[in-house]
């Protein structure tokens, strides 16, 4: 079982996070026009009972957005067998980040639906958008 755990600090834009073998979360900084991948080096839960997971801290950029998603999004395929991919997801985030969290989630799923063009999903797809205030 993979897991991405994060704790938002209400008094700042800081987050503490752990990734237990989960897909990397994306942080987009519009001022730098750049993405940061929150990739962990930890293993999925249940593999090694003695494993010590590593907590990390990240400061979300002012005006930025964080997107946490399951691998079913990035690995979704169209009728030609091509994966949706990270580049396509990042392009949607760059275009849609100013519109708000709900609108960004809608834009991601609409783009995915257009990309798949009726090809059924083979894995679960979940997306969470976090915008610091």
């Amino acid at each position: 079982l993979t897991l991405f755990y994060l704790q938002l600090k209400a008094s700042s834009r800081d987050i503490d996070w752990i990734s237990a073998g989960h897909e990397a979360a994306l942080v987009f900084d519009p001022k730098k026009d750049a993405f940061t991948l929150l990739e962990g080096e930890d293993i999925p839960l249940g593999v090694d009972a003695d494993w010590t997971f590593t907590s990390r801290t990240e400061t979300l950029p002012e005006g930025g957005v964080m997107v946490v998603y399951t691998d079913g999004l990035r690995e979704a395929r169209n009728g030609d067998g091509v994966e949706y991919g990270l580049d396509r997801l990042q392009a949607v985030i760059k275009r849609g980040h100013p519109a708000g969290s709900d609108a960004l989630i809608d834009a991601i799923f609409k783009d995915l639906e257009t990309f798949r063009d009726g090809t059924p999903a083979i894995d679960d797809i979940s997306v969470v958008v976090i915008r610091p205030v």
Side-chain angles (χ1 to χ4, degrees), residues 89-120:
L89 176 58
Q90 288 177 331
V92 175
I93 294 168
K94 281 177 89 167
R95 284 192 310 269
H97 83 277
S101 298
D102 289 342
L104 180 53
I105 289 172
D106 289 344
I108 290 168
F109 278 105
K110 182 176 182 179
D111 189 67
L112 177 63
E113 183 179 318
T114 299
F115 173 80
R116 287 187 11 224
D117 192 29
T119 303

Side-chain angles (χ1 to χ4, degrees), residues 26-35 61-67 88-108 129-132:
L26 287 170
V27 176
F28 178 61
D29 183 341
K31 291 180 182 176
K32 294 181 180 177
D33 192 32
F35 283 91
E62 188 174 331
V65 63
M66 178 179 184
V67 179
R88 188 173 185 105
L89 176 58
Q90 288 177 331
V92 175
I93 294 168
K94 281 177 89 167
R95 284 192 310 269
H97 83 277
S101 298
D102 289 342
L104 180 53
I105 289 172
D106 289 344
I108 290 168
V129 172
I130 299 165
R131 303 176 71 83

Side-chain angles (χ1 to χ4, degrees), residues 69-85:
Y69 56 94
T70 56
D71 61 353
L73 173 62
R74 187 184 50 77
E75 295 173 355
R77 296 179 184 272
N78 65 15
D80 295 325
V82 176
E83 283 191 356
Y84 184 75

Side-chain angles (χ1 to χ4, degrees), residues 4-7 15-19 37-40 54-58 66:
F4 190 89
Y5 172 85
L6 71 95
Q7 182 178 34
I15 60 166
D16 291 329
W17 61 278
I18 296 171
S19 179
L37 289 174
L38 301 186
E39 295 179 286
T54 305
S55 176
R56 295 172 169 84
T57 300
E58 184 80 20
M66 178 179 184

